[in-house]
């Protein structure tokens, strides 16, 4: 588990530095580097490490910890777990070498008909295959536990963990099909054309649901760590289970809202995906209600009265309390931006602008990553056998991350509305239309600088904890619900119904556009190897 977390956080910090470097060279603070390729190379490495390697390893490490801590059993298939881990590491190295050499500057969304070195795609496939081993092990471990505990209720952390694993297995299938059957044959030289429109549809299968895979460890922490860490209980175990199964069902059939401006998909399909995108806000709203209620219970037990008096009584010195508050605030801003993106009409105004960059950095870098910090702080003593005593440093780290993320992302929203495109290597700030926007780029650079400082603090806190003296720690416990026991509906203790709905809705929402595009003739276009002009 520690190996997963350390490699994840090392990839995170390297990608963080690359992100800051991108903002610096795009800012008016220095002359342009002269070679745009170096910028896009950094974007590819930053996105690949942040999007695929970092969250995948966090989910895997947290998942293994949940098996041992919630099921109270040793991990079954430990050798397979190590194989999965080393495949992720091998895949990361295999992918990053061609990226660093400038042979796979295709950004992390692959962007066909642009085609990079085959080893980049093979590396990404190895990362996914390694994670699929984790998915299988989560299912196997639950099966072993069920045999040993017939009829027992699956502990909430493991129930939620399985939701994340199954979601990942299904959503990663889209990108896997795209790479294995469309991109790799071209990259290996077996074909010279590619259906870019169909490839984008397959990638959209993965593109949005992957965000909910990133979210799952954060949501598990909301429900199973936060109430206990701040001295309270979970408001409702059933509400938590409903939220996780709704994520499983509604997060998959929505990805085509990323293709609103793409002509190859019909308006009817786009409308259907917009409707389901709205539906996925339901489990998030349930989560905000349940966790806020759990937190309010703590405040009132500590003497808080009145509509808002309980807020002052909350344990704000506790890093977990700070983390969940910051995460909800950033999730609120990011979620509001998401509602704009899901609107077919409003999306026209912000499509492919810096607004989009600001939106997903608020969700991933803000709401999600800040909870990754919190769960690492919570688990670290139990993984290392050493107390993590740097409370003040942890609070400073969380505050600086929160402030840095706001300074970074809010200007992006402003210039996005003004039409500043994203993923541009540089801007001509001497142009009258862009001159007023130069200051926003400088602000984002300083926001990134604050984030780098915060990321460095995070690594230092963990290293300090790792080198501390061995300590005797109380047994690890997840949050207990206010009302324990009672009868739980069978549908909230298993996944047969929800997996059927997930697969059925995905087939309905993606089946028609995929079949339609595959039936069209002469839709393929010549592939463009990296470095060549189309």
């Amino acid at each position: 588990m520690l190996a997963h977390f350390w490699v994840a956080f090392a990839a995170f910090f390297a990608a963080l530095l690359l992100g800051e470097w991108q903002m610096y060279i795009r800012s008016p603070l220095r002359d342009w580097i002269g070679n745009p390729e170096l910028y896009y190379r950094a974007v590819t490495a930053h996105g690949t490490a942040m999007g695929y390697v970092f969250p995948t390893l966090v989910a895997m490490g947290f998942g293994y910890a949940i098996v041992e801590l919630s099921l109270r059993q040793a991990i079954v298939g430990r050798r397979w777990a190590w194989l999965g881990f080393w495949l992720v590491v091998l895949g990361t190295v295999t992918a990053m070498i061609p990226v660093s050499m400038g042979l796979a500057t295709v950004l992390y969304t692959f962007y066909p008909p642009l085609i990079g070195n085959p080893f980049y795609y093979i590396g990404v496939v190895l990362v996914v295959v390694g994670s699929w081993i984790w998915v299988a092990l989560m299912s196997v471990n639950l099966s072993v536990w069920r045999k040993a505990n017939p009829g027992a209720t699956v502990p909430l952390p493991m129930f939620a963990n399985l939701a994340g694993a199954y979601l990942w297995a299904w959503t990663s299938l889209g990108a896997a099909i795209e790479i294995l059957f469309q991109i790799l044959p071209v990259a290996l030289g077996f074909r010279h054309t590619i259906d870019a429109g169909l490839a984008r549809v397959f990638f959209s299968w993965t593109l949005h649901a992957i965000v909910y895979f990133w979210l799952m460890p954060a949501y598990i922490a909301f429900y199973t760590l936060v109430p206990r860490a701040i001295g309270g209980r979970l408001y409702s175990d059933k509400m938590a289970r409903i939220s996780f199964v709704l994520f499983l069902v509604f997060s998959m059939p929505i990805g085509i809202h990323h293709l609103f401006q793409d002509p190859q998909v019909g308006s009817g399909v786009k409308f259907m995906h917009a409707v389901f995108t709205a539906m996925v806000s339901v489990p998030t709203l349930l989560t905000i209600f349940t966790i806020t209620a759990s937190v309010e219970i703590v405040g009132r037990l500590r003497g808080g009265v009145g509509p808002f008096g309980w807020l002052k009584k909350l344990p704000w010195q506790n890093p977990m309390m700070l983390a969940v508050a910051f995460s909800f605030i950033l999730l609120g801003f990011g979620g509001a931006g998401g509602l704009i993106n899901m609107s077919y009409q409003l999306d026209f105004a912000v499509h492919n602008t810096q607004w989009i960059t600001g939106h997903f950095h608020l969700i991933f870098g803000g709401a999600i990553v800040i909870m990754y910090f919190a769960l690492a702080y919570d688990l670290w003593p139990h993984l290392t056998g050493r107390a993590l005593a740097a409370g003040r440093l942890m609070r400073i780290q969380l505050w600086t991350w929160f402030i840095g993320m706001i300074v970074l992302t809010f200007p992006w929203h402003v210039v996005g509305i003004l039409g500043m495109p994203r993923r541009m290597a540089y801007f001509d700030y001497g142009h009258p239309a862009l001159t007023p926007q130069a200051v926003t780029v400088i602000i984002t650079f300083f926001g990134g600088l604050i984030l780098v400082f915060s990321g460095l603090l995070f690594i230092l806190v963990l290293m300090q904890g790792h080198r501390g003296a061995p300590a005797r720690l109380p047994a690890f416990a997840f949050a207990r619900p206010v009302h324990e026991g009672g009868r739980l509906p069978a549908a909230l203790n298993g996944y047969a119904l929800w997996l059927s709905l997930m697969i059925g809705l995905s087939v309905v929402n993606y089946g028609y556009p995929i079949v339609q595009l595959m039936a069209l003739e002469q839709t393929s276009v010549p592939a463009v190897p990296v470095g060549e002009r189309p």
Side-chain angles (χ1 to χ4, degrees), residues 212 219 223 239 242-248 250-251 278-290:
Y212 298 98
Y219 274 63
Y223 283 108
M239 196 84 85
I242 291 171
S243 298
F244 284 111
V245 297
L246 290 182
F247 271 126
L248 199 60
F250 289 125
S251 62
M279 292 299 294
V280 85
S281 64
V282 174
T284 292
L285 293 174
L286 282 177
T287 299
I288 292 171
F289 172 80
T290 307

Side-chain angles (χ1 to χ4, degrees), residues 64 130 135 195 227 259 300 313 340 390 443 452 456:
Y64 292 130
V135 172
D195 189 333
L259 306 180
R300 295 199 182 281
K313 297 292 184 179
I340 302 295
I443 293 172
V452 170
L456 185 61

